[in-house]
Amino acid sequence: MTEMNDLRALPSVDQLLQSGQAAEWIDTYGRPLTVDALREALAAARAGVQSGRPVPAFDDLLNNAHNLLQIWLAPTLRPVINASGVVLHTNLGRAPLSRAALAAIQQTASAYNTLEYDLVRGARGSRSMHAEALLTRLTGAQAALVVNNNAAAVLLALSALAKRRRVIISRTQLVEIGGGFRVPEVMAQSGARLVEVGTTNRVHLADYETALSEPAAMVLHAHSSNFRIIGFTAEPALAEVAALAHCQGVPFIDDLGSGALLDTARFGLSHEPTVQESLAAGSDLVCFSGDKLLGGPQAGILIGRSDLIAKIKKHPLARAVRADKLCLAALSATLAHYLKDEAEREIPIWRFLAQTPDQLERRASAWAAALGRGEVLAGKSTVGGGSLPEETLPTRLFALKVRQPNAALALLRQADPPVIAYIENDYVLLDPRTVLPEQEEDLLRALRGLPGE
Ligand SMILES: *Cc1c(COP(=O)(O)O)cnc(C)c1O
């Protein structure tokens, strides 16, 4: 019966609550959660005793309860230091926002606002007007609509414009973008009828012409995103397909994916089709993301003909996928950078892309000097975010030779904030391109915590 006696030796929840520590936790974490943690710590101790472990000390029980409180409340969505060199890393939250976009979020979120209020009329206004004027001024499009993300934008456009009707798309574009977004499945979800033309590697204008001999709701063009067909390939120009569709009175819709507003060729990358070019080629609607090469918050942007946008706005799904006030605030501030011709200076992703190998070399060398270890190697950064597949930018890497590179990577992930590095040829590599200058001190502290060679 020693076990029964041992169980009796455990304190009660009330006794634990009388302690000075528990009083502090009640202040910090609130009473109900503190009581829960003490109960759970006691239950674990009881189970331990029943399986033969000794009765824990009073202070150990309290410590266990405190650990639980910290674990329960630790945020799972945490800032990290992205040393991977992938500028638009989907797993790491894609685009960090500009200072102005952050300020706009703070201002909008901390008070009531004009989300759906018309100050002139003193009556209900429209949420959809907020980014619309900026988008139409920037791109010359007649109208614009912002929704939750680009997947929603494409689904909404298809649902509103093509339900139960034929949508013509080339087999070269029936891609899976990642995260389960497959063009044919989104089309099926919208109720549109998929009409495939061409082959996996080649499609001709005549293929579209044949398909357009029967009535259709739209011709859809989808950017092949993270995928590239090379070799024996053929695809007519966007303008040719759009003109053909228009001959039959059928709208042409372009899912651009990344939707660059600046020419990526200026940054030593190949040219990513821009939103303005798609409109100039005759697209009636263009869909693109807010947090890829635009460098703003998660959003899906639809721009184009006002009659089509009006029809889309009226569809019930539009309400289900609408953008929230914080997104609209941050997006408007981001778009303003483009209008003011300061995007390269103010939008973090363009600043990252614009860094020269010389500048990156200076940063990586400074890290090596500060740490008294490591070396600087030439390497490659990538854009990510489903744009410019296979494209790289020359960079300089801070490289550490350690005995156990995987263990070092895991240690860096345990740092606060966590550091995301990578391994190549047994080197632990860190790319300064995607490390924010204000994160460098934290990064160096994390690196100092690594064991020597
Ligand atoms: C990324 C992408 C999408 C999905 O955009 P989200 O904003 O991530 O929802 C859709 N289409 C294409 C071509 C893409 O590249």
Side-chain angles (χ1 to χ4, degrees):
M1 289 314 286
T2 46
E3 194 185 275
M4 273 314 287
N5 291 335
D6 283 355
L7 284 177
R8 275 195 212 104
L10 284 170
S12 67
V13 174
D14 276 336
Q15 284 168 321
L16 291 168
L17 275 170
Q18 303 296 317
S19 66
Q21 290 102 308
E24 267 176 43
W25 303 336
I26 289 172
D27 263 355
T28 311
Y29 303 107
R31 189 178 173 89
L33 202 63
T34 303
V35 171
D36 278 354
L38 293 171
R39 283 214 178 100
E40 204 159 307
L42 269 176
R46 210 172 289 121
V49 169
Q50 279 163 347
S51 57
R53 279 196 290 277
V55 176
F58 192 83
D59 279 345
D60 289 339
L61 272 169
L62 285 174
N63 278 339
N64 294 348
H66 192 210
N67 284 342
L68 286 175
L69 286 167
Q70 287 173 324
I71 290 168
W72 290 344
L73 289 172
T76 52
L77 189 54
R78 298 170 62 192
V80 302
I81 298 176
N82 174 12
S84 72
V86 183
V87 176
L88 292 168
H89 198 307
T90 296
N91 302 148
L92 302 181
R94 289 195 186 156
L97 297 178
S98 73
R99 276 171 307 163
L102 294 175
I105 286 181
Q106 167 108 28
Q107 265 193 342
T108 307
S110 47
Y112 294 102
N113 52 67
T114 55
L115 181 63
E116 291 181 2
Y117 192 78
D118 184 331
L119 287 172
V120 177
R121 292 188 304 118
R124 184 185 174 143
S126 155
R127 160 190 310 252
S128 69
M129 53 80 61
H130 293 293
E132 178 163 10
L134 291 166
L135 281 164
T136 51
R137 178 166 292 281
L138 253 174
T139 61
Q142 289 174 354
L145 175 66
V146 181
V147 295
N148 183 60
N149 60 8
N150 189 36
V154 176
L155 177 66
L156 178 61
L158 285 163
S159 306
L161 305 177
K163 190 162 184 158
R164 283 191 287 277
R165 293 169 63 207
R166 298 170 72 240
V167 172
I168 295 158
I169 184 166
S170 165
R171 291 194 173 91
T172 58
Q173 296 157 27
L174 293 177
V175 295
E176 173 177 319
I177 275 123
F181 183 91
R182 292 176 162 183
V183 172
E185 287 174 10
V186 173
M187 291 186 63
Q189 187 62 42
S190 72
R193 281 169 46 208
L194 173 68
V195 178
E196 302 175 25
V197 298
T199 62
T200 305
N201 56 327
R202 288 168 74 85
V203 60
H204 305 286
L205 207 55
D207 298 320
Y208 284 101
E209 221 165 341
T210 310
L212 278 166
S213 61
E214 283 174 56
M218 70 168 74
V219 175
L220 179 65
H221 181 272
H223 189 290
S224 50
S225 202
N226 44 12
F227 169 78
R228 181 178 286 166
I229 307 175
I230 54 164
F232 187 56
T233 63
E235 191 129 15
L238 218 59
E240 293 179 286
V241 185
L244 187 69
H246 293 159
C247 273
Q248 307 296 322
V250 174
F252 180 80
I253 285 130
D254 190 11
D255 171 16
L256 259 188
S258 211
L261 291 168
L262 295 184
D263 182 359
T264 46
R266 275 172 36 197
F267 300 84
L269 294 158
S270 62
H271 178 72
E272 171 81 8
T274 64
V275 174
Q276 297 90 329
E277 284 162 2
S278 179
L279 285 172
S283 296
D284 299 285
L285 265 187
V286 185
C287 313
F288 53 100
S289 284
D291 54 354
K292 290 185 180 172
L293 282 173
L294 191 82
Q298 178 189 304
I301 299 164
L302 295 131
I303 56 168
R305 262 168 51 189
S306 46
D307 59 324
L308 299 179
I309 295 281
K311 202 163 172 195
I312 288 171
K313 277 183 185 170
K314 280 198 216 104
H315 191 274
L317 250 189
R319 169 64 178 81
V321 298
R322 71 184 184 185
D324 86 302
K325 61 190 177 188
L326 304 186
C327 159
L328 291 168
L331 183 64
S332 300
T334 306
L335 293 170
H337 292 312
Y338 289 95
L339 272 175
K340 290 154 74 182
D341 198 24
E342 60 181 26
E344 255 172 79
R345 195 179 72 229
E346 295 298 328
I347 297 179
I349 63 140
W350 291 119
R351 270 209 312 272
F352 299 164
L353 290 169
Q355 286 172 101
T356 63
D358 279 351
Q359 292 169 324
L360 293 158
E361 166 112 29
R362 277 197 290 278
R363 293 181 65 194
S365 304
W367 298 354
L371 294 166
R373 68 188 286 206
E375 48 196 299
V376 178
L377 300 178
K380 291 171 163 58
S381 321
T382 54
V383 181
S387 49
L388 302 163
E390 313 274 307
E391 285 274 328
T392 57
L393 282 168
T395 192
R396 296 293 180 269
L397 304 165
F398 173 71
L400 267 185
K401 196 89 178 174
V402 293
R403 213 168 298 137
Q404 294 181 297
N406 276 309
L409 235 52
L411 271 178
L412 288 173
R413 288 197 304 270
Q414 281 163 32
D416 187 20
V419 176
I420 313 299
Y422 65 104
I423 299 172
E424 225 172 74
N425 301 328
D426 289 337
Y427 275 102
V428 171
L429 298 174
L430 295 101
D431 190 335
R433 185 184 297 280
T434 47
V435 175
L436 316 190
E438 58 269 31
Q439 291 178 320
E440 287 196 357
E441 229 168 275
D442 285 334
L443 176 76
L444 292 176
R445 190 160 26 79
L447 288 168
R448 281 194 191 100
L450 291 180
E453 308 282 310

Coordinates of all heavy atoms in Angstrom, one line a residue, residues 127-180:
R127 N -16.7 48.0 -49.7 CA -15.4 47.5 -49.4 C -14.5 47.4 -50.6 O -13.3 47.6 -50.5 CB -15.6 46.1 -48.7 CG -14.5 45.2 -48.7 CD -14.9 43.8 -48.3 NE -15.7 43.8 -47.0 CZ -15.2 43.4 -45.9 NH1 -14.0 42.9 -45.7 NH2 -16.0 43.4 -44.8
S128 N -15.2 47.1 -51.8 CA -14.4 46.8 -52.9 C -13.7 48.1 -53.5 O -12.9 48.0 -54.4 CB -15.2 46.1 -54.0 OG -16.2 47.0 -54.5
M129 N -14.1 49.3 -53.0 CA -13.5 50.5 -53.7 C -12.1 50.8 -53.2 O -11.4 51.5 -53.8 CB -14.4 51.7 -53.5 CG -14.8 52.0 -52.1 SD -13.6 52.9 -51.0 CE -13.4 54.4 -52.0
H130 N -11.7 50.1 -52.1 CA -10.4 50.6 -51.5 C -9.2 50.5 -52.3 O -8.5 51.5 -52.5 CB -10.2 49.9 -50.1 CG -11.2 50.3 -49.1 ND1 -11.3 51.6 -48.6 CD2 -12.3 49.6 -48.6 CE1 -12.4 51.6 -47.8 NE2 -13.0 50.5 -47.8
A131 N -8.9 49.3 -52.9 CA -7.7 49.2 -53.7 C -8.0 49.4 -55.2 O -7.1 49.5 -56.0 CB -7.1 47.9 -53.5
E132 N -9.3 49.5 -55.5 CA -9.7 49.6 -56.9 C -9.1 50.8 -57.7 O -8.5 50.6 -58.7 CB -11.2 49.6 -57.0 CG -11.6 49.6 -58.5 CD -13.1 49.2 -58.8 OE1 -13.8 49.1 -57.8 OE2 -13.4 49.1 -59.9
A133 N -9.2 51.9 -57.1 CA -8.7 53.1 -57.8 C -7.2 53.0 -58.0 O -6.6 53.4 -59.1 CB -9.0 54.4 -57.0
L134 N -6.4 52.5 -57.0 CA -5.0 52.4 -57.1 C -4.7 51.4 -58.2 O -3.7 51.6 -59.1 CB -4.4 51.9 -55.8 CG -4.4 52.9 -54.6 CD1 -4.1 52.2 -53.3 CD2 -3.4 54.0 -54.9
L135 N -5.4 50.3 -58.3 CA -5.1 49.2 -59.2 C -5.4 49.7 -60.7 O -4.7 49.4 -61.6 CB -5.9 48.0 -58.9 CG -5.3 47.1 -57.8 CD1 -6.4 46.1 -57.3 CD2 -4.1 46.4 -58.3
T136 N -6.5 50.4 -60.8 CA -6.9 50.8 -62.2 C -5.9 51.9 -62.7 O -5.5 51.9 -63.8 CB -8.3 51.4 -62.3 OG1 -8.5 52.3 -61.2 CG2 -9.3 50.2 -62.1
R137 N -5.5 52.8 -61.8 CA -4.5 53.8 -62.1 C -3.2 53.2 -62.5 O -2.5 53.6 -63.5 CB -4.3 54.8 -61.0 CG -3.3 55.9 -61.3 CD -3.4 57.1 -60.3 NE -4.6 57.8 -60.4 CZ -4.8 58.8 -61.4 NH1 -3.9 59.1 -62.2 NH2 -6.0 59.4 -61.4
L138 N -2.8 52.2 -61.8 CA -1.5 51.6 -62.0 C -1.4 50.8 -63.3 O -0.4 50.8 -64.0 CB -1.2 50.6 -60.9 CG -0.2 50.9 -59.9 CD1 -0.2 49.8 -58.8 CD2 1.2 51.0 -60.5
T139 N -2.5 50.1 -63.6 CA -2.5 49.2 -64.7 C -3.3 49.7 -66.0 O -3.2 49.1 -67.0 CB -3.2 47.9 -64.3 OG1 -4.5 48.1 -63.9 CG2 -2.4 47.3 -63.1
G140 N -4.1 50.7 -65.8 CA -5.0 51.1 -66.9 C -6.2 50.3 -67.1 O -7.0 50.5 -68.0
A141 N -6.4 49.3 -66.2 CA -7.6 48.4 -66.3 C -8.8 49.3 -66.0 O -8.8 50.2 -65.3 CB -7.5 47.2 -65.4
Q142 N -10.0 48.8 -66.5 CA -11.2 49.5 -66.3 C -11.7 49.4 -64.8 O -12.2 50.3 -64.2 CB -12.4 49.0 -67.2 CG -12.2 49.4 -68.6 CD -13.3 48.7 -69.5 OE1 -14.1 47.9 -69.0 NE2 -13.3 49.1 -70.8
A143 N -11.5 48.2 -64.3 CA -12.0 47.8 -63.0 C -11.2 46.8 -62.3 O -10.3 46.2 -62.9 CB -13.5 47.3 -63.1
A144 N -11.3 46.7 -61.0 CA -10.5 45.8 -60.2 C -11.3 45.2 -59.0 O -12.3 45.9 -58.5 CB -9.3 46.5 -59.7
L145 N -10.9 44.0 -58.5 CA -11.5 43.5 -57.3 C -10.5 42.7 -56.6 O -9.7 42.0 -57.2 CB -12.7 42.5 -57.7 CG -13.3 41.7 -56.6 CD1 -14.1 42.7 -55.6 CD2 -14.3 40.7 -57.1
V146 N -10.5 42.8 -55.3 CA -9.5 42.1 -54.4 C -10.2 41.1 -53.6 O -11.2 41.4 -53.0 CB -8.7 43.1 -53.5 CG1 -7.7 42.4 -52.7 CG2 -8.1 44.2 -54.3
V147 N -9.7 39.8 -53.6 CA -10.2 38.8 -52.8 C -9.1 38.1 -52.0 O -8.0 38.6 -52.0 CB -10.9 37.7 -53.7 CG1 -12.2 38.3 -54.4 CG2 -10.0 37.1 -54.7
N148 N -9.5 37.0 -51.3 CA -8.6 36.5 -50.3 C -7.2 36.0 -50.8 O -6.2 36.1 -50.2 CB -9.3 35.3 -49.6 CG -8.5 34.7 -48.5 OD1 -8.2 35.4 -47.6 ND2 -8.2 33.4 -48.7
N149 N -7.2 35.3 -52.0 CA -5.9 34.9 -52.6 C -6.2 34.6 -54.1 O -7.3 34.7 -54.5 CB -5.3 33.7 -51.9 CG -6.2 32.5 -51.9 OD1 -7.3 32.5 -52.5 ND2 -5.9 31.5 -51.2
N150 N -5.1 34.3 -54.8 CA -5.3 34.2 -56.2 C -6.1 32.9 -56.6 O -6.8 32.9 -57.6 CB -4.0 34.2 -56.9 CG -4.1 34.3 -58.4 OD1 -5.0 35.0 -58.9 ND2 -3.2 33.7 -59.2
A151 N -5.9 31.8 -55.8 CA -6.7 30.6 -56.0 C -8.2 31.0 -56.0 O -9.0 30.5 -56.8 CB -6.3 29.6 -55.0
A152 N -8.6 31.8 -55.0 CA -10.0 32.2 -54.9 C -10.4 33.1 -56.1 O -11.5 33.0 -56.6 CB -10.2 33.0 -53.6
A153 N -9.4 33.9 -56.5 CA -9.7 34.8 -57.7 C -10.1 34.0 -58.9 O -11.1 34.3 -59.6 CB -8.6 35.7 -57.9
V154 N -9.3 33.0 -59.2 CA -9.5 32.1 -60.3 C -10.8 31.3 -60.2 O -11.6 31.3 -61.1 CB -8.3 31.1 -60.5 CG1 -8.6 30.2 -61.7 CG2 -7.0 31.9 -60.8
L155 N -11.0 30.8 -59.0 CA -12.2 30.0 -58.8 C -13.5 30.9 -58.9 O -14.5 30.5 -59.5 CB -12.2 29.4 -57.3 CG -13.4 28.7 -56.9 CD1 -13.6 27.4 -57.7 CD2 -13.4 28.3 -55.4
L156 N -13.4 32.1 -58.4 CA -14.5 33.0 -58.5 C -14.8 33.4 -59.9 O -16.0 33.5 -60.3 CB -14.2 34.2 -57.6 CG -15.2 35.4 -57.6 CD1 -16.5 34.9 -57.0 CD2 -14.7 36.6 -56.7
A157 N -13.7 33.8 -60.6 CA -13.9 34.2 -62.0 C -14.6 33.1 -62.8 O -15.5 33.3 -63.6 CB -12.6 34.6 -62.7
L158 N -14.1 31.8 -62.7 CA -14.7 30.7 -63.4 C -16.1 30.5 -63.0 O -17.0 30.2 -63.8 CB -13.9 29.4 -63.1 CG -12.5 29.4 -63.9 CD1 -11.6 28.3 -63.2 CD2 -12.7 29.1 -65.3
S159 N -16.4 30.5 -61.6 CA -17.8 30.3 -61.2 C -18.7 31.3 -61.7 O -19.9 31.0 -62.1 CB -17.8 30.3 -59.6 OG -16.8 29.4 -59.1
A160 N -18.3 32.6 -61.7 CA -19.2 33.7 -62.1 C -19.4 33.7 -63.6 O -20.5 34.2 -64.0 CB -18.7 35.0 -61.5
L161 N -18.4 33.4 -64.3 CA -18.5 33.6 -65.8 C -18.6 32.3 -66.6 O -18.9 32.4 -67.8 CB -17.2 34.3 -66.3 CG -16.8 35.7 -65.5 CD1 -15.5 36.2 -66.1 CD2 -18.0 36.7 -65.7
A162 N -18.4 31.2 -66.0 CA -18.3 30.0 -66.9 C -19.1 28.7 -66.4 O -18.9 27.7 -66.9 CB -16.9 29.6 -67.1
K163 N -19.9 28.9 -65.3 CA -20.6 27.7 -64.8 C -21.3 27.0 -65.8 O -22.1 27.5 -66.6 CB -21.5 28.2 -63.6 CG -22.0 27.0 -62.9 CD -22.6 27.4 -61.5 CE -22.9 26.1 -60.8 NZ -23.0 26.2 -59.4
R164 N -21.1 25.7 -65.9 CA -21.8 24.7 -66.8 C -21.5 25.1 -68.3 O -22.1 24.6 -69.2 CB -23.3 24.7 -66.6 CG -23.7 23.8 -65.4 CD -25.2 23.6 -65.3 NE -25.9 24.8 -65.0 CZ -26.1 25.2 -63.7 NH1 -25.6 24.5 -62.7 NH2 -26.8 26.3 -63.4
R165 N -20.5 25.9 -68.5 CA -20.2 26.3 -69.9 C -18.7 25.9 -70.2 O -18.0 25.7 -69.3 CB -20.4 27.8 -70.1 CG -22.0 28.1 -70.0 CD -22.2 29.6 -69.9 NE -21.7 30.3 -71.1 CZ -21.3 31.5 -71.2 NH1 -21.3 32.3 -70.1 NH2 -20.9 32.0 -72.4
R166 N -18.4 25.9 -71.5 CA -17.1 25.5 -71.9 C -16.0 26.5 -71.7 O -16.2 27.7 -71.9 CB -17.1 25.1 -73.4 CG -18.1 24.0 -73.8 CD -18.3 23.9 -75.3 NE -17.2 23.4 -76.0 CZ -16.5 24.0 -76.9 NH1 -16.8 25.2 -77.3 NH2 -15.4 23.4 -77.5
V167 N -14.9 26.0 -71.1 CA -13.7 26.9 -70.9 C -12.6 26.2 -71.6 O -12.2 25.1 -71.4 CB -13.4 27.1 -69.4 CG1 -12.0 27.8 -69.2 CG2 -14.5 27.8 -68.7
I168 N -12.0 27.0 -72.5 CA -10.9 26.4 -73.4 C -9.6 26.7 -72.8 O -9.3 27.9 -72.5 CB -11.1 27.0 -74.8 CG1 -12.4 26.5 -75.4 CG2 -9.9 26.6 -75.7 CD1 -12.9 27.3 -76.5
I169 N -8.8 25.7 -72.6 CA -7.4 25.9 -72.1 C -6.5 24.9 -72.7 O -6.9 23.8 -73.1 CB -7.4 25.7 -70.5 CG1 -6.1 26.0 -69.9 CG2 -7.9 24.3 -70.1 CD1 -6.0 26.2 -68.4
S170 N -5.2 25.3 -72.9 CA -4.2 24.4 -73.5 C -3.7 23.4 -72.5 O -3.6 23.6 -71.3 CB -3.1 25.3 -74.0 OG -2.0 24.5 -74.3
R171 N -3.4 22.2 -73.1 CA -2.9 21.1 -72.2 C -1.5 21.5 -71.7 O -1.1 20.9 -70.7 CB -2.8 19.8 -73.0 CG -4.1 19.2 -73.3 CD -4.1 17.8 -73.8 NE -5.4 17.2 -74.0 CZ -6.1 17.2 -75.1 NH1 -5.6 17.8 -76.2 NH2 -7.3 16.7 -75.1
T172 N -0.8 22.4 -72.3 CA 0.5 22.9 -71.8 C 0.3 23.6 -70.4 O 1.3 23.9 -69.8 CB 1.2 23.8 -72.8 OG1 0.3 25.0 -73.0 CG2 1.5 23.2 -74.1
Q173 N -0.9 24.0 -70.1 CA -1.1 24.8 -68.9 C -1.9 24.1 -67.8 O -2.3 24.7 -66.8 CB -1.9 26.1 -69.3 CG -1.1 27.0 -70.3 CD -1.9 27.9 -71.1 OE1 -3.0 28.3 -70.7 NE2 -1.5 28.3 -72.2
L174 N -2.2 22.8 -68.0 CA -2.9 22.1 -67.0 C -2.0 21.7 -65.8 O -1.7 20.5 -65.6 CB -3.7 20.9 -67.6 CG -4.8 21.3 -68.6 CD1 -5.4 20.0 -69.2 CD2 -5.8 22.1 -67.9
V175 N -1.5 22.6 -65.1 CA -0.5 22.4 -64.1 C -1.0 22.3 -62.7 O -2.1 22.7 -62.4 CB 0.6 23.5 -64.2 CG1 1.3 23.5 -65.6 CG2 0.0 24.9 -63.9
E176 N -0.1 21.8 -61.8 CA -0.4 21.8 -60.4 C 0.6 22.8 -59.8 O 1.8 22.7 -60.1 CB -0.2 20.5 -59.7 CG -0.2 20.6 -58.2 CD -0.1 19.3 -57.4 OE1 -0.7 18.3 -57.9 OE2 0.6 19.2 -56.4
I177 N 0.1 23.8 -59.1 CA 1.0 24.9 -58.7 C 1.7 24.6 -57.4 O 2.7 25.2 -57.0 CB 0.2 26.2 -58.6 CG1 0.1 26.9 -60.0 CG2 0.7 27.2 -57.7 CD1 -1.2 27.1 -60.6
G178 N 1.1 23.7 -56.6 CA 1.7 23.4 -55.3 C 0.6 23.8 -54.3 O -0.3 24.6 -54.5
G179 N 0.7 23.1 -53.1 CA -0.4 23.4 -52.1 C -1.7 22.9 -52.6 O -2.8 23.3 -52.2
G180 N -1.7 21.9 -53.6 CA -3.0 21.3 -54.0 C -3.8 22.1 -55.0 O -4.9 21.8 -55.2

